[in-house]
Amino acid sequence: MPPDDPLPSRLSSDVYAVLRRQIVTGELRPNQPLIELDIAERLQVSRTPVRESLQRLAHAGLVVPRKRGWAVREFTPDEIRQNAEVRMALEGYAASLAALRGSPSDIAAIVAIHERRLNLRSSDEAMRVKTNRDFHDAIMRASGNPRLTDAIYHSGQFYFNAPIARVTTGEELALGNADHALIVAAIKKRDGPAAEKAMRAHIQRTFALFWRVTGLAEPLDVRQE
Amino acid sequence: MPPDDPLPSRLSSDVYAVLRRQIVTGELRPNQPLIELDIAERLQVSRTPVRESLQRLAHAGLVVPRKRGWAVREFTPDEIRQNAEVRMALEGYAASLAALRGSPSDIAAIVAIHERRLNLRSSDEAMRVKTNRDFHDAIMRASGNPRLTDAIYHSGQFYFNAPIARVTTGEELALGNADHALIVAAIKKRDGPAAEKAMRAHIQRTFALFWRVTGLAEPLDVRQE
DNA sequence: GCACGCAAGTTTGCATACAAATTTCATTTC
DNA sequence: GAAATGAAATTTGTATGCAAACTTGCGTGC
């Protein structure tokens, strides 16, 4: 949830941001116990903000309670598959809403980003990552539903562990622009169901690729319909 | 998130549960500032667990930061509409998964609950509430995706404020069983898309009723397709 | 009569204190 | 040598302390 207010800076928010990043990038390994005092000293704060940020992380599902204290949550391949399905549900619906009621300028923005991406030189990895993110963001924005956007954002943090962090940034890039083109076409035609279907298929293919790249066991039943 | 572990009891969890309930039921009014010391004294704990539970509530989106401290979040009718759409996305997808890959016993359970509900005497309000909840739970369970279930659960807490709490328990009941029957039929036929469509329509009708009952201004654009 | 300013009172954000529970680890026992 | 024991060291969960930031309300000046 990107705050729209000039939020008062609070240490626990900073600590949360740092820990979140370290967990999602895998710097803090799954099942690693989180020692409050270590973190506090590392970040030069007292235990209070650390504990408060751990509460948030727990609610976010990134850390799990132990008998005492907390540990970085480990996700199984199956849980990652489950999460992919959540994304298919949410982002698919966002695409459908974008098609059905995105404003002309919303849709122009989507098209523009897509086309910029088509003209990218294949070597420009960073730019491909950025435009991919922009593409998905633009669709969420066009959905006209900030809470939906929020939910998608929240569901997007569960791909760490193992080599996942690296892959999920790279993943979708390798798929080429064919998927995106299908989505754009459906949105331009204001065809909600088609946009939804295309987006779901896109996410599904992304994860199929993901299993291949990571070498993790592919959970059963990824396929649908 | 109903914890499945024998979680060590922690005061902050208790405080969280109490505050959450009081917010969702409207006992704590929207925009009401939450004074740490008041809460602490009311619940006979120190400020520490109170602060920690506020962090969780903030992450859950039930309280918002003020320049100093927190206040109960107020939801506008439009935000409630947005949230209904999130539910349509998630629960619709859950229904589709239930149809496509629910086990025979999963489906038998759904049918059983539905039929029990059909035979209810109309006076038995409490039982209608319970079986309605059971019905939706059974479908989520049949989806075979706990994370999806979790996401739905999280999205289900945004209907408080105003007279909403009362209504959202009552709402779906008044709709009769026609909607449920459609959903059950689709699931029995293993027709994913039909189940998804029926569930979305059900939630949509629920909210249409909701606007009528509460007298709140209906936000634009609830309708789709 | 209204606005402004200033002091007193709240209430927070962060740090620290402390006892209880758990873990660690060396020592003893078989 | 392995298992058992228990004392020491960690580490947590909760409470409290404290200075700073914000509010409130009164008094003063215009």
Side-chain angles (χ1 to χ4, degrees), chain A residues 3-80:
Chain A
D4 29 10
D5 262 279
L7 280 200
S9 102
R10 288 194 251 237
L11 278 188
S12 55
S13 299
D14 298 346
V15 175
Y16 174 79
V18 171
L19 290 181
R20 184 184 197 287
R21 184 174 46 71
Q22 295 189 335
I23 291 174
V24 171
T25 60
E27 190 171 337
L28 289 170
R29 307 310 329 241
N31 291 316
Q32 178 171 342
L34 295 165
I35 308 300
E36 296 175 2
L37 202 58
D38 287 357
I39 298 170
E41 280 171 2
R42 195 148 54 77
L43 303 183
Q44 294 292 311
V45 297
S46 82
R47 280 176 56 216
T48 304
V50 172
R51 299 194 96 249
E52 290 180 358
S53 77
L54 284 171
Q55 293 288 329
R56 291 180 93 109
L57 290 165
H59 192 93
L62 295 181
V63 306
V64 290
R66 287 266 181 274
K67 249 207 300 269
R68 245 169 105 104
W70 309 91
V72 177
R73 175 160 175 189
E74 170 164 41
F75 283 89
T76 63
D78 192 56
E79 284 171 321
I80 292 174

Side-chain angles (χ1 to χ4, degrees), chain A residues 127-174:
Chain A
M127 203 56 187
R128 300 185 78 184
V129 173
K130 180 183 180 321
T131 53
N132 182 62
R133 180 177 299 258
D134 287 347
F135 180 74
H136 286 266
D137 281 353
I139 291 174
M140 291 189 248
R141 207 162 317 113
S143 77
N145 187 329
R147 282 205 51 73
L148 185 57
T149 303
D150 227 61
I152 293 169
Y153 174 83
H154 267 109
S155 82
Q157 61 191 358
F158 294 102
Y159 309 117
F160 50 94
N161 296 5
I164 302 183
R166 220 84 32 79
V167 177
T168 37
T169 58
E171 26 109 72
E172 311 191 57
L173 310 181

Side-chain angles (χ1 to χ4, degrees), chain B residues 69-87:
Chain B
W70 309 91
V72 176
R73 174 159 173 189
E74 170 163 41
F75 283 88
T76 64
D78 192 57
E79 285 171 319
I80 292 174
R81 187 261 309 165
Q82 290 173 25
N83 202 72
E85 288 181 355
V86 172
R87 251 186 79 187

